[in-house]
Amino acid sequence: MSLINEIEKQGNFLFKYRGQFPIVLFILALPFIYFTDSICSQEENNFTLAAIVLSSTGFVIRAYTIGTTPRGTSGRNTKEQVAEVLNSTGIYSVVRHPLYLGNYFMWIGIVFFTFNWYFVIIVSLLYYLYYERIMFAEERFLERKFGQDYLEWACNLPAFLPKLSQFKKSHIPFSIISVMRREYSGVLATVIGFVFIELVRNFFQKKEILIPKIGWYILAITFVLCLILRTLKRSTSLLEEEGRS
């Protein structure tokens, strides 16, 4: 098998199981949290604020992408590459893989919350190696699907670092319903990630299972909202929209 086909095969495999990446992240976090020294409260507050901003930025990127994406484009698929049309407006006019960019910010925020720079660097490198294969496989699929149209679109468009000067307004209006229908699980996973890090840190440093009340409140509210949205999605038509995936 040629190297290019081998990389594509690896990318398709990693694409299929990319939902397990957070589990690997949580496991890797344990030794880094254990060996990270305590810091002063002001520095801790600064790190926490930066972590929340990073994860929130990731959610905004994903929300805008999903809220302005029509049915049948390559996007938030779960098992295999799927695309009926090539999307080249909105956020897809400034970057080729906005969802993966959003994922990075959401998860690097959680990593930042460990207060360990080494972990931030290591996870960034691992994320690059992991998703580089996925992006390669996805682009091979799109190239075969759309041919010259895809090559012309991708020619001057960065894969991961947005080129904001090329922005073209999406012809699809933003839909908060699409975001509510498709992103609740990612938000819950992010909140669980922050709570997990805080729980493990307090256990290692204070030898007790302790989470601030605000953490429990945020987790409980997020869980209830996600449960409501999941029920509405599976049992009603309230979150259904024509022309949206």
Side-chain angles (χ1 to χ4, degrees):
M1 180 180 294
S2 65
L3 180 59
I4 192 170
N5 289 329
E6 179 65 26
I7 295 175
E8 182 179 7
K9 182 180 179 181
Q10 293 173 8
N12 285 323
F13 175 82
L14 295 174
F15 177 89
K16 185 176 181 180
Y17 294 101
R18 70 195 187 283
Q20 281 66 51
F21 185 82
I23 299 175
V24 176
L25 186 67
F26 292 161
I27 295 174
L28 288 176
L30 295 176
F32 285 94
I33 298 172
Y34 181 80
F35 288 108
T36 299
D37 296 329
S38 299
I39 57 179
C40 67
S41 59
Q42 183 57 51
E43 193 174 3
E44 182 175 320
N45 290 337
N46 292 338
F47 268 100
T48 300
L49 178 60
I52 293 173
V53 169
L54 286 169
S55 289
S56 297
T57 299
F59 171 73
V60 170
I61 293 173
R62 285 188 58 87
Y64 178 74
T65 303
I66 288 171
T68 56
T69 299
R71 180 188 296 274
T73 57
S74 179
R76 194 177 182 276
N77 313 311
T78 56
K79 295 183 179 179
E80 60 183 2
Q81 306 290 352
V82 176
E84 298 172 6
V85 295
L86 182 64
N87 191 5
S88 59
T89 62
I91 199 166
Y92 283 96
S93 66
V94 299
V95 65
R96 300 203 302 270
H97 300 280
L99 290 176
Y100 301 151
L101 176 63
N103 285 349
Y104 173 76
F105 275 102
M106 289 181 74
W107 291 111
I108 208 63
I110 298 174
V111 172
F112 207 79
F113 192 52
T114 64
F115 309 153
N116 189 302
W117 284 106
Y118 294 108
F119 192 40
V120 173
I121 295 172
I122 289 173
V123 169
S124 295
L125 292 174
L126 288 176
Y127 190 93
Y128 172 79
L129 293 173
Y130 191 98
Y131 274 90
E132 181 189 39
R133 295 294 197 272
I134 293 177
M135 289 188 286
F136 180 86
E138 184 173 307
E139 294 198 1
R140 288 276 290 173
F141 168 80
L142 293 172
E143 183 179 344
R144 286 193 292 265
K145 182 86 174 182
F146 300 106
Q148 189 61 31
D149 288 339
Y150 172 78
L151 293 176
E152 291 177 357
W153 169 73
C155 181
N156 296 312
L157 194 64
F160 202 69
L161 298 177
K163 192 175 182 179
L164 299 179
S165 61
Q166 297 187 172
F167 180 77
K168 298 177 182 178
K169 185 178 180 180
S170 175
H171 62 277
I172 300 294
F174 179 79
S175 170
I176 189 63
I177 298 297
S178 291
V179 178
M180 293 169 64
R181 183 177 66 253
R182 299 179 60 181
E183 283 300 284
Y184 61 84
S185 59
V187 173
L188 179 60
T190 304
V191 172
I192 290 175
F194 275 93
V195 171
F196 174 80
I197 297 298
E198 181 69 9
L199 183 68
V200 173
R201 178 168 35 241
N202 287 331
F203 177 76
F204 285 151
Q205 294 181 356
K206 301 178 182 178
K207 307 303 180 184
E208 58 182 350
I209 300 177
L210 176 66
I211 298 177
K213 288 185 178 180
I214 185 64
W216 287 117
Y217 291 153
I218 294 175
L219 178 60
I221 292 172
T222 304
F223 181 81
V224 171
L225 290 176
C226 289
L227 184 61
I228 292 173
L229 290 174
R230 184 176 185 272
T231 302
L232 291 176
K233 177 182 177 179
R234 298 197 171 195
S235 303
T236 75
S237 60
L238 291 177
L239 298 182
E240 293 180 4
E241 294 177 290
E242 185 177 356
R244 305 277 183 159
S245 56

